[in-house]
Amino acid sequence: MAPQDRRKSSLESDYYAHMDFDPEHQREVLRFYVPMFAEPAPDAADGKQGPVLEIGCGRGEFLGLLRDAGIQAQGVDIDPGMVAQARGEGFDVVEADALEFLHADPAPGPYQGVFCAHFIEHLTPEQVVRFLEGVHRVLAPGGRLVAVTPNPSCYAVLSHDFWWDPTHVRFYEVDLVEFLCRQAGFEVESSGTNPANHPGPPPHFQVAAPTVYPGVSDLVGSAMRKLAAAVESRRDGEGARQREGAPAEGAPPGPEGPDPTWAYELGHVVNVLGERLQESTQALRELRGAYDNLLWGLYQGNETFVVARR
């Protein structure tokens, strides 16, 4: 899609209405980024925050958060439906193609911050390059860009969430965004995932930790010692009675009495089974740990961000 093909359309606002996206949830997710604009740029003449330009501002959820934080802000969006909703909330929003706006309308350097959330995935790589050139143009020296985009490392996003939106073009992995920012003359400060937008794996994919019972070796050892003591005591008693000429009670003929070998063998079998059960339980715990690592590795945060300075 060439830049000149980015015509005004209400497709995005119609899609939002169809999906019934909750604006309060959007605000909770976007609130994570407000502190990134709470301090003025190093070269700000008046030492104050803002103004911040939001690209693809949509209904104005982030503009509202900036307003609540006392930060001056302006938005630009190409969708007439989005612009109407944002203006209806009292926000300063320009209805225009963002790329054209960045390269034509504002004088160079009027903004201390530029923010875009889920915008660059609507662009081709060539358009992203032009977008970053435009952001570099309108940012004041030391001004900050925060670019947020869907995380392709999250399975839910990669497999279906991303493809719900008919205006999405492609993914931009965080390393690629960092590279493109540096190519455009920015200094990358940080990047990561938004913890406020990390629902994690579906509950039915998660499993409880296996129950680990204590081993039986101590119990078997204690039982064997008691058995040995009982056998020894019985033998002592039998020996005393035999010296007195009385037969051992309930004992078969002979000086030894009942043979305890079977009890020792049974104790050994139980001990071996207990050890193998412990080994199996430990293997199950390790398997569960590997499964958790795989599951949470697949279900990372839904969006990534890159923070860069001009």
Side-chain angles (χ1 to χ4, degrees):
M1 181 171 62
Q4 63 267 25
D5 292 333
R6 287 178 48 80
R7 295 182 293 271
K8 293 183 179 181
S9 167
S10 61
L11 180 60
E12 188 77 355
S13 55
D14 291 345
Y15 169 70
Y16 268 55
H18 171 74
M19 296 299 293
D20 195 24
F21 288 131
D22 179 14
E24 185 54 39
H25 172 71
Q26 292 291 104
R27 280 187 282 270
E28 286 301 314
V29 170
L30 292 171
R31 189 170 282 112
F32 172 75
Y33 302 106
V34 174
M36 299 178 183
F37 298 101
E39 61 181 39
D43 296 340
D46 55 4
K48 296 181 180 179
Q49 311 101 319
V52 173
L53 174 67
E54 182 181 8
I55 302 296
C57 64
R59 299 173 296 190
E61 288 91 349
F62 191 68
L63 294 176
L65 294 172
L66 292 176
R67 181 170 63 186
D68 293 345
I71 301 173
Q72 181 185 353
Q74 182 184 34
V76 59
D77 203 294
I78 198 172
D79 187 304
M82 293 293 196
V83 172
Q85 292 182 64
R87 288 176 176 172
E89 296 294 326
F91 301 122
D92 178 10
V93 177
V94 176
E95 183 180 330
D97 176 271
L99 274 63
E100 295 176 2
F101 177 84
L102 290 170
H103 284 274
D105 288 355
Y111 299 104
Q112 289 189 32
V114 172
F115 178 75
C116 65
H118 298 266
F119 172 74
I120 61 173
E121 65 270 19
H122 298 263
L123 306 178
T124 65
E126 294 78 13
Q127 289 174 322
V128 172
V129 169
R130 180 169 170 78
F131 164 71
L132 291 173
E133 291 171 349
V135 172
H136 195 275
R137 172 184 174 274
V138 303
L139 268 179
R144 174 176 281 168
L145 163 68
V146 179
V148 182
T149 191
N151 183 9
S153 295
C154 174
Y155 176 74
V157 173
L158 178 65
S159 61
H160 51 86
D161 287 2
F162 182 86
W163 307 108
W164 288 346
D165 191 327
T167 63
H168 282 171
V169 174
R170 60 156 291 168
F171 284 107
Y172 288 92
E173 205 272 336
V174 66
D175 288 340
L176 175 57
V177 179
E178 290 184 3
F179 167 76
L180 293 173
C181 285
R182 291 189 177 98
Q183 288 293 102
F186 290 94
E187 176 188 351
V188 175
E189 289 187 323
S190 63
S191 60
T193 59
N194 182 351
N197 195 1
H198 189 186
H204 61 277
F205 283 6
Q206 302 180 52
V207 295
T211 302
V212 180
Y213 296 100
V216 298
S217 58
D218 291 344
L219 294 175
V220 172
S222 176
M224 291 298 99
R225 286 190 295 272
K226 291 178 181 178
L227 174 62
V231 169
E232 187 63 28
S233 175
R234 184 181 182 91
R235 285 176 175 171
D236 290 344
E238 289 173 351
R241 282 191 292 271
Q242 287 175 359
R243 286 192 296 271
E244 295 170 358
E249 237 178 77
E256 299 296 329
D259 183 3
T261 304
W262 67 270
Y264 288 107
E265 291 178 348
L266 177 60
H268 174 70
V269 170
V270 172
N271 194 49
V272 170
L273 289 176
E275 290 176 352
R276 292 180 180 176
L277 178 60
Q278 288 291 101
E279 292 172 359
S280 299
T281 302
Q282 180 60 30
L284 182 60
R285 293 176 65 185
E286 293 173 358
L287 180 61
R288 195 258 184 174
Y291 174 77
D292 277 354
N293 290 336
L294 174 62
L295 190 62
W296 286 93
L298 286 172
Y299 288 90
Q300 300 180 26
N302 283 10
E303 64 185 27
T304 59
F305 66 88
V306 171
V307 182
R309 288 274 191 187
R310 183 187 184 284

